Amino acid sequence: LSCRGKDSQGEEVIKPYTPTTLDSDVGSFELVIKMYPQGRMSHHFREMRVGESLAVKGPKGRFRYQPGQVRAFGMLAGGSGITPMFQVARAILENPKDQTKVHLIYANVTHDDILLKEELEGLASRYPDSFKIYYVLNQPPEVWNGGVGFVSKEMIQTHLPAPAADIQILRCGPPPMNKAMAAHLEAIGYTPEMQFQF
């Protein structure tokens, strides 16, 4: 969805967000919004009060999911890039007829930056055979059993399904991460048809 608002200078700003709710959640939708101190749209959301309206346009997007379209998805998410992954994972996991497996690598700077952590853990505990998460932190806490640094080629090979005609890798993160992941995936042998970037 595209949301329209005004930044701190009164200039119009339009920014896309992926709802975390599903098409089957009728009557309302939820957005996860990361507030940045200098963020133009963040300013608009900070100024909003309960009961006010927001200009929204959509839905839009190039990704259409059909149950069973692949055997497994590998997901590479960075920061707020988790939102489309969460929506797709929910659509798969909450459909009892869908046997698709989901493998997620989710990268952030610190532990506090992990968005939707409770919801992701809930999916992992409810669907342990279908949903696996591997967290990667640039600045991990002292006690940490996930990945450290940036997502590496080795992490992808260990935690995502290997290249095959019936798997697809979904990517969503900041531009430098997307670029690095594209290079890793190509080096491992994932073809362009096996990849989709939100």
Side-chain angles (χ1 to χ4, degrees), residues 16-74:
Y17 291 92
T18 302
T20 52
T21 40
L22 302 181
D23 295 349
S24 56
D25 298 324
V26 179
S28 65
F29 62 88
E30 292 180 7
L31 301 176
V32 171
I33 295 160
K34 190 164 185 183
M35 303 297 260
Y36 293 99
Q38 304 305 314
R40 295 178 67 210
M41 196 68 199
S42 294
H43 171 81
H44 185 83
F45 283 117
R46 256 194 308 276
E47 296 295 310
M48 286 189 79
R49 297 296 165 250
V50 174
E52 290 183 355
S53 298
L54 176 70
V56 177
K57 183 176 168 184
K60 60 181 192 165
R62 299 170 292 127
F63 186 78
R64 296 261 184 271
Y65 176 68
Q66 296 297 321
Q69 77 184 47
V70 292
R71 172 176 48 91
F73 278 109

